[in-house]
Amino acid sequence: MMTRFLTALVALVTFAGLAAAQDERETIVFGVVATEQSENVLHLWEPFVEDMARDTGFNVELRSATDYAGVIEAMRADQVQVAWLTNASGLEASRRANAEVFAKFIYPDGQLGYRSIIIVPEDSPMQDIEDLLVCDGTVNFGLGDPLSTSGTLVPQAYIFADRGIDPQTCFNQVTSASHEQNLLAVANGQLDAATNNTTNIDRLERARPDVLERVRTIWRSPLIQTDPIMWRTDLSPETKATIQEFFLTYGWRGDAEQRAHEQAVLRELEMGGFLPATNEHFLPIMRLELTRDLAEARSDPDLDEAVRAERIAAIEAEMAELSEREHLVAARDLSADIAMARREMVANPDGPQDQVTNLVTTYLQDSPRPEGRAAQINRRPETGQIGRMMIGLIVGLIVAIGLFVTSKPPKYSPARMPSDRIIDAAIWGGLVGLLVWSFWPAEVFKLPLLAENADRMGEYVAGFARPDFSEAGNYLRQIVVTVQIALWGTFFAVILAIPLGLLGASNIAPFWIRRPVRWVMDGLRAINELVVAAVFVAAVGLGPFAGVLALAFHTAGVLGKLFSEAVEAIEEGPVEGVRATGAGPLNEVTWAVIPQVIPLWASYALYRFESNTRSATILGLIGAGGIGQVLYENIRSFEYGKTAVVIGMIIIAVTLVDMMSQVLRKRLM
Amino acid sequence: MTDTAPALEIRDVTKSYGAMRAIENVNLTVNKGEMVALIGPSGSGKSTLLRCATGLVVADESSGPITIFGDKVQEGGKLSAKVRRARSRVGFIFQQFNLVRRISLYKNVLLGALGRMPTLKGAMGSFSTEDRRKAMEALERVGVKDHAGKRASDLSGGQQQRGAIARAMVQGAEAIFADEPIASLDPVSARRVMRLLRDLNQEDGITVVVTLHQVDYAMKYCDRAVALKAGQVIYDGPIGGLGRDRLIEIYGDEYRDVIDEEGVPA
Ligand SMILES: Nc1ncnc2c1ncn2[C@@H]1O[C@H](COP(=O)(O)OP(=O)(O)O)[C@@H](O)[C@H]1O
Ligand SMILES: [Mg+2]
C-alpha cells in the first residue's frame, strides 16, 4: 500500500515539474461569436490572431461562443479579454462585463454601418411594411437572436415600438433564430417574413445566390453602426495601448506586401479596417432602447396613468442626457480624420504613408485613460501535441512500473503470473497517461477558477432567492408541450424500433438482413438528437415537430438495439412449440416472440420516454420549442429570477414523469 | 396414396454435429395407430431423431427422405416446401412443455389452429368459433378446463403438459411425437399424461411416438419399442422383447447392477 502511494507521489511530482516548465507569456483571449457556420468564422479570424500574436508579443488565443451571452459571460469571468461583439450585446457587456469599446470596424468599401431589413418570400403578396403590419394573426414572423441588433432590437424599435404594435398579438407565431436560419426559413416558405441584415445578405450574395433569389426585401432600417471591438477595462494601460495600436493600424501599415496580406485577411472578414471608438459607440443603440421603452410606456394598456406619466418623464430625462453625450462624441472626429488619411494613402500611393500611424499615436498619447489593475492573466502552458504525449507517456510509464514492482504477491498467497501483473500495470499506467495527456486540451488546469470565481456563478444561484413567477403559466404550458414532444417522439421511435429490433436479432433474421439493420441502428444511435434536430429543422422548420422527429430517429436506434437484445434473450422453446404446430415465421414471431419480449420492450420504451422528456428540454435550445427554448431565452437575456423558476419547474416535471413511468414499469415486470 | 402411407417414414437419416454423429443411417417406419416407445441411454439420439422427424432439426445432406403421412418433411439436408403441412398433422410434445408462458393456457391451446389458417389471420388472432369450441373441448378432455384463463406460467408442469396435448388435439393432429413428456413431472402427473396419450392412441386412433427414459413406463403403455444406442437403431420390435440381456445391451454393462438391485421392469 505504502509503495503504491509513493508511486503516485513520484508520478504527481514529475507531472507538476513538467507542467511548470512552460512558457509564460501574457495571454490575451480574443472572443468572437460564431452562431452561423461556426467553424468558418473561427477559421477566418485565425490569420488575424496570428498576426496579432506576432506583432503584440502576447500569446493570443481565439475563443468562440455560440451566442453573445456566452462571450459576455466569458468576458465577465475574465476568460476573454478582447471581444468582437454587436451593438446590443456590446452595450450589455459594457454594463455587466467590465468591458469597454476601443474600436469598431468598417466595411471594405468604407461604409460605416449596415441596415436591418425585413425579407419575405419572393412570391409573397406583401409589398411593403404596411402589408406586414395588417396584424390579422395569419403571418408567421421570425425575429433574430434576442440580443441581435439588426435581427431584433432595430426592428423592435423602428417597426413595432414606433407604431405601438406587439408582435406577439400581431402575428400568428413569432420565432427567434439566427439570420441564416431565418433566411432559409423564408426562402423555403416556412416563415412569411423575418428580419435580417444587409451584411448577411451581401455575404450570401456570393455563397448562396440561389437562396437569395427566393426572397425579397420589403423594409430597410436607417444605418446601424458597425460592430464594436471591446476589451476589459482592467487591462493594463500598456497592454491596452499595444492592442489598440495593432487594431487601428492593421491593414494600413508597413510595406505594400504587408498591406496586401492584411487587407486580404480583413476582406475575408468583410472588413476594411478598424476605427477608434469608445463607449460612446453605444449612444445610438441606447437611443434605440429608450425609443422602444418610451413607446412601450406610452402604449401599455395595463399601466396606471400616474405611473405612465412618471415613467415617460424618466425616459425623457434619460434621453436628454443622452443628447448631451451625443454632442461630445470626440472619437467620431478622429474617425473621420483617419478615414480621410487612408483614402489619401490609397489615392496617392507615392505620398507619405505614415499619416494613419501618426494620427493613432497622437490619439493614444492625448486621450487620458483611467488606471486599470493589471490584467488577470491565464498562465497557460504552451505545450505542443508531441510534448503532451511525451509527458503523458512518462507519467504513465512511471505509474505502470511502480505498479508492477509493488504488485508482487506477498508470501503465502496464490501466485500471479507476471504477464497478468504486466497487463494490470499497463492498464492503470495507460489510464493515468491518457488523463495527463488530456490535461491541457480539456483545460483542466482551470479547475482552481471554479473556487476562485464561485461568486460569479452566484447570480444564477441568487436567482433562486428572487424567483420571478410572473410567467409561470406560460412555463407550465411549455412544459406540457415538452412532454408532448417526448410522447410523440417516443411513440414514433417505438414504431420504428419494433421492425428494427426484430430484424436485428440473431435468432430471427439471417446475417445478411441483420447486419445492415444493425448498421442503421448504430447510425441512428451515434448521432446526437441535437444534430438530428438541426437537420430536420431545415426540412420542417423550427418548432416542436423537428424535435419530435429528432427524438424519434435517435431513440429508434437506441430502442432498436435494446429490443434486439431482448429478442435474443428469449426462450427458444415456445418458438419451437409454435413452429411445431405448422405455423409460419410471422406467427412464430407474433405468438412466441412478442409475448415473451413485450414486458421488457414496454419497460424500455417507458424508460426512453423518461429520458426523452429530459432530451426534449435540451432540444429547445436549437429552437425546437417547448420549455427548453424558454429556458435558453431567459438565460441569454440574464433573467436570473425567471431562469430559476423555469429550472425548478423542469426539475419537478421531469421527476414527476420519472416517478409515473417507474410505477408503470414496476407493474409491467 | 396418403391413406395408405405410414404415419412416419425415415430413410437413411444421419445427423452430425461437427464430427459427432447424433444419429447415423437410421431407418424407421411407424404405421398408423401404433404406440411406439423410443428408448435408449442419454445422448443416444432420441431427441435428435424425433426433431428431425418434424423438421425442427435439418438432417445431413446424405440423408434420405422423411415423410409424415406421405407429406415430405425433409430430404438431403433440405426442408421440404410442404414441411408446414406435414408439421400441422403432428402434435409435438416437449419435455419442457414449450408453452408461451405469458399468454393464457386457452390461447396456447388455440395456437394449435395456426397451421391451417392464413398467415395474416393467424397473426391477428382471428380464430374461428369452431376452433374456439375445439379448444375448450380439448381442455375439458385433458382435465384442465378450469385453468383455461390462467397464464401458462402460473400452472404446474403436469397441467402445462396436458395443455400441450390439448394444443395437439386442436391442431387435429393425426399423430403425436412426444420427447420425454414426463421427465419433468411427478409420478402422479406422469401417469396422467401417459394415460392420456394411450387414450388418444386407443380411442382416437392417433399414432404416438414417445421417447422415454423410464423403461417401466415404456413397458406399461407401449406396444412396440425402438432402441437407439450411439445414434443407431439396435432394437426394433415388440415391447415384450426387451429382456434382461437386451436391456443390458442397450443401456450398457452398468445397467446390470440396476437390474440386479431392482429387477427387470415389468
Ligand atoms: N444442437 C446440438 N449441438 C451439438 N450437439 C448436439 C446438439 N443436439 C444434440 N447434440 C448431441 O447429439 C447427441 C444426441 O443427443 P440427443 O438427441 O439429445 O440425445 P437423447 O435425446 O437421446 O439424450 C448427444 O451427444 C448430444 O450431445
Ligand atoms: Mg433427449
Side-chain angles (χ1 to χ4, degrees):
Chain A
M1 197 57 229
M2 204 51 212
T3 31
R4 296 218 175 169
F5 181 71
L6 279 179
T7 310
L9 208 64
V10 171
L12 204 70
V13 169
T14 317
F15 174 54
L18 288 165
Q22 301 296 325
D23 168 23
E24 286 182 1
R25 281 183 298 159
E26 182 172 352
T27 296
I28 297 291
V29 182
F30 183 47
V32 301
V33 173
T35 38
E36 30 242 35
Q37 306 136 0
S38 184
E39 291 289 322
N40 198 25
V41 170
L42 270 187
H43 179 65
L44 296 179
W45 277 102
E46 267 162 17
F48 180 84
V49 164
E50 269 167 33
D51 290 349
M52 185 165 160
R54 192 192 53 230
D55 286 13
T56 59
F58 299 140
N59 172 31
V60 185
E61 268 175 42
L62 190 56
R63 183 79 53 86
S64 76
T66 52
D67 60 44
Y68 297 120
V71 175
I72 296 173
E73 272 308 301
M75 224 173 168
R76 204 159 72 92
D78 200 15
Q79 280 151 11
V80 161
Q81 286 78 38
V82 178
W84 171 42
L85 289 158
T86 60
N87 288 318
S89 60
L91 179 56
E92 190 74 40
S94 75
R95 284 174 179 158
R96 10 178 326 110
N98 206 9
E100 69 182 352
V101 177
F102 69 92
K104 65 181 180 186
F105 78 87
I106 58 163
Y107 288 109
D109 59 3
Q111 291 261 20
L112 289 169
Y114 62 105
R115 289 169 204 277
S116 168
I117 61 175
I118 303 278
I119 51 172
V120 296
E122 173 59 37
D123 53 7
S124 165
M126 286 185 243
Q127 295 302 330
D128 56 30
I129 194 69
E130 302 309 328
D131 293 344
L132 174 70
L133 298 176
V134 171
C135 291
D136 54 3
T138 60
V139 171
N140 291 321
F141 187 73
L143 279 173
D145 185 297
L147 283 186
S148 162
T149 311
S150 60
T152 303
L153 287 179
V154 169
Q156 289 274 22
Y158 284 95
I159 300 179
F160 302 114
D162 250 13
R163 294 170 172 78
I165 292 173
D166 176 6
Q168 300 293 342
T169 55
C170 173
F171 300 121
N172 176 32
Q173 209 181 0
V174 181
T175 54
S176 167
S178 74
H179 293 310
E180 264 72 15
Q181 286 172 326
N182 277 335
L183 179 63
L184 281 176
V186 170
N188 295 336
Q190 288 148 1
L191 285 176
D192 302 309
T195 61
N196 225 293
N197 69 43
T198 48
T199 336
N200 188 48
I201 297 284
D202 287 348
R203 175 163 72 235
L204 287 171
E205 196 117 47
R206 271 169 282 153
R208 299 291 302 272
D210 56 314
V211 174
L212 287 186
E213 264 172 26
R214 287 184 274 145
V215 303
R216 184 156 45 80
T217 304
I218 58 166
W219 178 82
R220 292 161 67 86
S221 75
L223 197 71
I224 309 166
Q225 292 239 36
T226 54
D227 294 339
I229 314 288
M230 302 178 73
W231 57 31
R232 273 184 63 93
T233 50
D234 58 3
L235 290 178
S236 73
E238 300 75 32
T239 304
K240 282 179 176 171
T242 314
I243 292 173
Q244 198 168 22
E245 179 178 352
F246 172 76
F247 268 87
L248 298 186
T249 56
Y250 193 79
W252 300 89
R253 60 189 176 153
D255 57 14
E257 192 187 337
Q258 183 180 359
R259 285 245 299 275
H261 159 73
E262 291 180 354
Q263 282 294 339
V265 171
L266 285 170
R267 226 177 0 259
E268 285 298 316
L269 291 164
E270 326 267 339
M271 294 177 180
F274 298 91
L275 292 176
T278 65
N279 276 354
E280 308 290 347
H281 182 85
F282 296 128
L283 293 180
I285 198 86
M286 285 163 80
R287 178 162 288 280
L288 266 182
E289 284 192 348
L290 288 176
T291 315
R292 187 190 56 192
D293 293 350
L294 191 61
E296 262 171 29
R298 286 201 174 117
S299 63
D300 189 343
D302 300 336
L303 226 50
D304 181 76
E305 281 312 316
V307 178
R308 187 197 307 281
E310 199 177 302
R311 195 172 287 180
I312 290 175
I315 296 172
E316 281 173 344
E318 269 189 71
M319 284 181 117
E321 196 184 321
L322 195 64
S323 309
E324 288 277 311
R325 291 174 66 193
E326 280 169 348
H327 288 300
L328 296 168
V329 183
R332 288 251 167 94
D333 300 341
L334 182 61
S335 307
D337 291 348
I338 291 181
M340 205 184 325
R342 286 176 182 174
R343 274 198 292 280
E344 245 172 55
M345 285 166 75
V346 175
N348 184 8
D350 302 328
Q353 297 293 310
D354 55 2
Q355 292 131 308
V356 172
T357 311
N358 290 343
L359 276 166
V360 170
T361 321
T362 324
Y363 171 74
L364 287 174
Q365 281 162 1
D366 290 351
S367 56
R369 284 175 195 292
E371 284 285 307
R373 67 174 166 81
Q376 180 188 333
I377 292 159
N378 295 320
R379 299 208 186 283
R380 172 165 178 183
E382 274 299 289
T383 320
Q385 217 17 270
I386 305 281
R388 285 185 209 131
M389 273 164 79
M390 288 304 299
I391 297 175
L393 215 62
I394 294 169
V395 177
L397 218 61
I398 293 175
V399 171
I401 292 171
L403 277 179
F404 179 74
V405 173
T406 56
S407 70
K408 198 169 151 60
K411 265 189 182 171
Y412 307 119
S413 63
R416 287 194 71 204
M417 298 280 286
S419 62
D420 279 353
R421 286 168 53 208
I422 290 180
I423 291 172
D424 276 6
I427 289 173
W428 290 108
L431 180 64
V432 172
L434 283 175
L435 282 172
V436 169
W437 173 54
S438 317
F439 186 81
W440 289 283
E443 299 195 337
V444 181
F445 56 83
K446 285 189 180 167
L447 206 56
L449 288 182
L450 204 56
E452 270 172 41
N453 298 342
D455 52 318
R456 292 188 177 134
M457 298 188 292
E459 282 188 38
Y460 282 96
V461 180
F464 284 93
R466 294 177 274 98
D468 178 348
F469 288 99
S470 57
E471 289 176 36
N474 179 41
Y475 302 159
L476 196 61
R477 275 193 298 280
Q478 295 301 325
I479 283 177
V480 172
V481 170
T482 303
V483 174
Q484 287 164 332
I485 293 173
L487 204 56
W488 269 97
T490 314
F491 176 71
F492 281 139
V494 169
I495 301 277
L496 287 171
I498 288 173
L500 287 175
L502 288 169
L503 294 176
S506 58
N507 51 348
I508 294 218
F511 182 79
W512 51 272
I513 293 182
R514 192 162 79 229
R515 223 28 286 161
V517 167
R518 287 190 181 178
W519 282 332
V520 169
M521 292 193 294
D522 290 347
L524 290 174
R525 221 173 34 251
I527 310 170
N528 185 285
E529 291 104 320
L530 280 176
V531 182
V532 185
V535 173
F536 281 119
V537 162
V540 300
L542 292 169
F545 190 57
V548 168
L549 289 178
L551 289 181
F553 278 78
H554 178 80
T555 308
V558 178
L559 280 184
K561 183 165 160 64
L562 291 173
F563 281 13
S564 273
E565 280 167 4
V567 169
E568 285 173 357
I570 61 168
E571 278 183 82
E572 200 51 33
V575 182
E576 279 195 339
V578 172
R579 182 178 307 153
T581 67
L586 180 67
N587 276 308
E588 284 171 30
V589 170
T590 333
W591 290 106
V593 178
I594 305 269
Q596 290 195 57
V597 294
I598 274 289
L600 209 52
W601 280 10
S603 166
Y604 286 147
L606 275 171
Y607 170 69
R608 284 309 302 191
F609 171 61
E610 282 171 48
S611 56
N612 276 348
T613 312
R614 289 185 287 270
S615 303
T617 313
I618 304 297
L619 285 174
L621 301 193
I622 59 150
I627 192 67
Q629 190 154 347
V630 177
L631 174 65
Y632 191 47
E633 278 161 15
N634 276 322
I635 291 178
R636 279 190 299 184
S637 34
F638 306 103
E639 299 270 12
Y640 298 117
K642 287 182 180 169
T643 305
V645 172
V646 174
I647 291 176
M649 288 177 74
I650 289 177
I651 292 174
I652 292 170
V654 169
T655 312
L656 281 179
V657 167
D658 277 14
M659 273 162 43
M660 251 165 44
S661 110
Q662 263 174 37
V663 169
L664 280 176
R665 283 199 283 148
K666 280 233 179 69
R667 278 195 57 91
L668 279 168
M669 294 312 286
Chain B
M1 155 86 204
T2 323
D3 279 357
T4 59
L8 170 64
E9 183 149 42
I10 292 177
R11 287 284 152 260
D12 280 332
V13 169
T14 301
K15 172 66 189 177
S16 325
Y17 290 107
M20 206 270 303
R21 306 211 155 157
I23 51 175
E24 189 169 7
N25 275 329
V26 170
N27 283 284
L28 180 65
T29 304
V30 176
N31 286 311
K32 282 189 193 172
E34 281 194 284
M35 178 130 183
V36 181
L38 201 53
I39 59 170
S42 281
S44 59
K46 304 182 296 290
S47 298
T48 306
L49 182 60
L50 220 49
R51 292 162 65 79
C52 279
T54 46
L56 291 175
V57 164
V58 181
D60 292 359
E61 274 176 36
S62 64
S63 303
I66 297 176
T67 57
I68 291 174
F69 298 108
D71 285 330
K72 193 186 286 172
V73 173
Q74 57 173 309
E75 179 170 10
K78 279 210 185 67
L79 286 183
S80 137
K82 280 204 214 162
V83 64
R84 284 178 51 199
R85 185 185 140 100
R87 277 178 189 157
S88 72
R89 303 178 74 169
V90 179
F92 204 102
I93 311 292
F94 301 83
Q95 179 181 345
Q96 295 304 332
F97 330 125
N98 285 6
L99 297 183
V100 184
R101 298 166 61 81
R102 294 193 59 89
I103 63 179
S104 67
L105 186 63
Y106 166 71
K107 264 276 160 59
N108 266 293
V109 171
L110 261 183
L111 294 186
L114 285 177
R116 54 174 180 273
M117 289 167 74
T119 301
L120 275 178
K121 230 176 169 179
M124 289 186 311
S126 28
F127 297 99
S128 70
T129 317
E130 174 65 13
D131 288 335
R132 292 173 192 278
R133 187 180 58 77
K134 277 190 193 158
M136 287 315 282
E137 275 176 13
L139 282 164
E140 176 150 32
R141 171 138 181 216
V142 302
V144 288
K145 192 178 170 207
D146 295 344
H147 305 292
K150 292 190 187 160
R151 278 187 179 180
S153 53
D154 293 341
L155 299 175
S156 74
Q159 290 164 337
Q160 288 192 54
Q161 198 60 297
R162 283 185 278 157
I165 294 173
R167 178 166 75 187
M169 290 161 66
V170 169
Q171 220 178 305
E174 297 156 69
I176 288 180
F177 296 171
D179 188 11
E180 307 276 10
I182 55 170
S184 311
L185 303 183
D186 63 87
V188 176
S189 301
R191 183 166 163 277
R192 273 211 185 123
V193 165
M194 285 313 293
R195 289 182 67 129
L196 198 51
L197 288 177
R198 196 181 58 189
D199 286 356
L200 287 170
N201 175 253
Q202 290 182 349
E203 288 167 25
D204 302 44
I206 291 176
T207 313
V208 174
V209 181
V210 52
T211 74
L212 290 166
H213 63 248
Q214 302 100 318
V215 181
D216 46 348
Y217 276 101
M219 298 213 161
K220 194 157 167 197
Y221 292 99
C222 300
D223 314 313
R224 174 181 164 196
V226 174
L228 285 179
K229 185 171 187 182
Q232 284 173 324
V233 178
I234 59 162
Y235 177 83
D236 185 351
I239 198 86
L242 293 175
R244 182 175 191 271
D245 294 343
R246 268 264 143 64
L247 288 172
I248 290 170
E249 184 195 346
I250 295 168
Y251 288 102
D253 271 350
E254 282 174 50
Y255 196 67
R256 197 186 303 272
D257 305 335
V258 178
I259 294 174
D260 290 347
E261 278 167 30
E262 298 178 7
V264 178

